[in-house]
Amino acid sequence: MHHFAYKGGELYAEKVSLERIAEAVGTPFYCYSTATIERHYKVLAQAFKGLDPLICYAVKANSNQAVLTTLARLGAGMDVVSEGEIRRALTAGVKPDKIIFAGVGKTRGEIAFALRHGVCQFNVESDQEIDFISEIATHLGARAKVALRINPDVDAKTHKKIATGKGEAKFGIPYKDAMRLYAKADRLAGIDVNGVHMHIGSQLTDLAPVEKAFTLMRQLVVRLRAEGHDIGHVDLGGGLGVPYKAGSEIPPHPDDYAQIVRKCFAGLDVKLMLEPGRLIVANAGILVSRVIAVKKGSERTFVVVDAAMNDLIRPTLYEAHHEIWPASEKRKGNNVLVDVVGPICETGDYLALGRKLPPLAAEDLIAVMSAGAYGAVQAGTYNSRPLVPEVLVRGDQFAVVRQRQTYDELIGLDRLAPWQTASQQPSPNPERAPPPAVKPPARKPEAASAGAGAGAATKRPSGGRR
Ligand SMILES: Cc1ncc(COP(=O)(O)O)c(C=O)c1O
């Protein structure tokens, strides 16, 4: 359930029309609904009522500070996978004792940073990593609370690029090695072993593998306790799927998921931890884009829009389906078969293939639905396209919560090598002028904000994408 809906024929995010936001900030832009984020968090918390889990939102899904702050204010902890994400969580006001540090390749620098800030748990992914954490903790005079991430070799029945619980995946410690590594971890200086962690994949739509993994997890906790390990925490990971496609099967409700958790861990007396990402933000965000042109190829019709795979990689990377909604219902009816593509020089640059959509025309606004998770966070600047802005809506207010990247910012990080600058250039041929230093084009003044409560407007400078 989300708060994007048509009112009077126009598509709204809560009480703000998308056309109004587009006027103020230009296109493309990401748009997030506060009410939807809050609702998803509360539905999950409600499903686990009585179990009192620590819900650590998976920052990787959407790390915008405004999104993190929304969740932090609801009491969420955070699951992070890099120093950057630890910094983001702390900046959003999350206390270190609610931050879980996961990730398959934590560097020594990141481990030290996490220890200095006192994160509540390291989810350890390898034999070597436990040694690193022990060494660094000892050096710093700190103690690291540790859970081992166990790979149960369970097929999560999801897309291969987001399946993490099979034996062939790079994630976690093989189930068969768990007892040995717990015994080792217990002997190491600076380490307090306190938990077990598993995460078998993302966009899980079948609870059977989840139950299988949780059952293995319970057995492991029982065995570890029998060996004298003090296991007080069970971190169940994230992964619960969301509906992306109209008319397709609805993924399990958090209540059904919680029911399995209650069954699998009944009577175990552990503190449960959850790491939901997609479930909280996927359907709370959309990518809004304008049609540049409609082009009839010899075999297909292409709706060329100003958003592309660099803004939203999911269709290209995971063959992901995102519903496309026109921002105006005037365009409804007499659907035509089209591919919705971006301007990038790749055949793989598309947002939707073979989709029956209302007839669209240049300048029409469209919304790419369910783009709140793994959308903006995976954006890049391929083809020298600036990162697009992110907008947060709350009721009848909206604000730019990430500015559109300027061309100055995009180009300004580059430097010429010393030998390319005028002062260093030996001029063998005085007739030929040395190449000029890189200087970004002058920025056009940006339009003033028109939004109620909007931040500084970030309309695309003319000459770029609108
Ligand atoms: C260890 C871990 N926890 C939590 C998540 C969040 O998963 P999701 O967004 O599917 O809930 C991921 C995502 O890959 C993950 O790797």
Side-chain angles (χ1 to χ4, degrees):
M1 199 251 156
H2 59 70
H3 291 76
F4 300 100
Y6 291 98
K7 288 178 199 161
E10 299 300 317
L11 188 54
Y12 275 66
E14 301 191 19
K15 292 181 181 160
V16 187
S17 90
L18 295 185
E19 197 61 76
R20 188 172 144 219
I21 304 174
E23 272 305 305
V25 307
T27 57
F29 63 91
Y30 276 96
C31 177
Y32 308 131
S33 152
T34 303
T36 313
I37 296 171
E38 290 182 344
R39 181 174 187 279
H40 290 166
Y41 180 85
K42 287 175 186 167
V43 165
L44 182 67
Q46 181 63 29
F48 280 86
K49 202 164 175 225
L51 293 181
D52 191 28
L54 176 60
I55 302 180
C56 290
Y57 166 69
V59 172
K60 64 175 83 67
N62 183 324
S63 58
N64 187 288
Q65 288 304 135
V67 170
L68 301 188
T69 301
T70 303
L71 289 163
R73 289 186 182 167
L74 291 174
M78 307 248 155
D79 159 48
V80 301
V81 292
S82 67
E83 179 175 332
E85 288 192 354
I86 299 175
R87 287 176 183 269
R88 282 190 175 275
L90 292 171
T91 304
V94 181
K95 296 272 173 286
D97 63 1
K98 284 183 168 181
I99 298 177
I100 298 173
F101 188 20
V104 77
K106 305 174 190 75
T107 65
R108 287 167 181 266
E110 288 178 317
I111 292 168
F113 183 85
L115 281 167
R116 280 199 205 95
H117 285 83
V119 300
C120 80
Q121 181 168 295
F122 286 80
N123 288 346
V124 173
E125 296 255 2
S126 70
D127 197 343
Q128 235 182 357
E129 190 188 323
I130 316 176
D131 292 329
F132 293 160
I133 297 175
S134 166
E135 247 173 64
I136 298 164
T138 310
H139 178 72
L140 294 176
R143 296 200 68 78
K145 293 196 200 78
V146 155
L148 300 195
R149 176 174 180 174
I150 303 302
N151 183 328
D153 194 18
V154 167
D155 182 356
K157 303 210 172 72
T158 186
H159 189 276
K160 63 178 187 301
K161 289 186 183 159
I162 48 174
T164 57
K166 280 285 285 168
E168 71 216 21
K170 69 178 176 180
F171 298 99
I173 289 161
Y175 195 85
K176 65 176 175 36
D177 296 339
M179 297 306 291
R180 178 177 63 79
L181 287 185
Y182 270 96
K184 169 183 165 167
D186 241 8
R187 290 192 300 269
L188 288 175
I191 301 277
D192 291 331
V193 179
N194 74 336
V196 178
H197 174 233
M198 257 186 213
H199 170 82
I200 61 169
S202 195
Q203 187 53 14
L204 307 178
T205 54
D206 181 353
L207 287 179
V210 173
E211 184 165 357
K212 192 170 168 193
F214 288 172
T215 305
L216 286 168
M217 214 167 171
R218 184 197 171 95
Q219 289 165 2
L220 183 61
V221 172
V222 171
R223 279 174 68 198
L224 286 167
R225 283 181 171 171
E227 297 277 312
H229 297 284
D230 184 15
I231 304 297
H233 289 73
V234 169
D235 182 341
L236 305 172
L240 199 52
V242 302
Y244 278 105
K245 194 171 179 179
S248 71
E249 213 182 318
I250 305 282
H253 190 275
D255 285 347
D256 302 327
Y257 176 80
Q259 205 45 45
I260 287 183
V261 174
R262 285 176 201 277
K263 186 170 118 193
C264 292
F265 297 99
L268 212 51
D269 189 24
V270 285
K271 175 77 179 172
L272 293 173
M273 294 162 142
L274 309 175
E275 301 172 347
R278 190 187 305 272
L279 182 75
I280 307 290
V281 287
N283 285 312
I286 58 176
L287 174 63
V288 180
S289 177
R290 231 181 247 291
V291 176
I292 297 174
V294 178
K295 170 177 159 166
K296 285 211 186 307
S298 57
E299 291 177 20
R300 309 169 88 100
T301 298
F302 301 99
V303 176
V304 185
V305 299
D306 62 3
M309 63 186 275
N310 71 301
D311 306 310
L312 181 67
I313 192 79
R314 298 193 69 261
T316 307
L317 189 59
Y318 312 117
E319 292 102 33
H321 177 102
H322 289 266
E323 293 289 312
I324 309 270
W325 290 11
S328 170
E329 276 192 311
K330 275 183 244 134
R331 292 291 179 200
K332 283 209 158 167
N334 290 336
N335 287 359
V336 283
L337 191 68
V338 296
D339 289 354
V340 180
V341 301
I344 282 193
C345 304
E346 297 275 348
T347 304
D349 175 27
Y350 54 82
L351 298 171
L353 292 181
R355 201 65 72 76
K356 284 210 153 170
L357 293 179
L360 291 162
E363 295 302 313
D364 281 354
L365 208 57
I366 60 158
V368 182
M369 306 304 290
S370 313
Y374 307 104
V377 281
Q378 293 200 78
T381 59
Y382 186 34
N383 279 200
S384 287
R385 292 163 53 86
L387 294 174
V388 305
E390 292 167 70
V391 171
L392 183 67
V393 172
R394 182 169 174 268
D396 60 1
Q397 305 174 74
F398 72 92
V400 175
V401 293
R402 184 188 175 112
Q403 300 278 347
R404 189 184 301 282
Q405 190 177 35
T406 66
Y407 288 115
D408 287 10
E409 288 161 351
L410 182 76
I411 301 171
L413 282 175
D414 295 4
R415 294 285 176 273
L416 291 185
W419 61 87
Q420 294 176 303
T421 59
S423 58
Q424 296 279 319
Q425 185 84 9
S427 208
N429 178 359
E431 304 282 294
R432 259 177 73 187
V438 170
K439 190 163 176 269
R443 243 165 85 191
K444 299 243 168 87
E446 291 181 335
S449 164
T458 54
K459 210 165 180 171
R460 186 176 294 286
S462 58
R465 289 172 292 159
R466 274 202 58 199

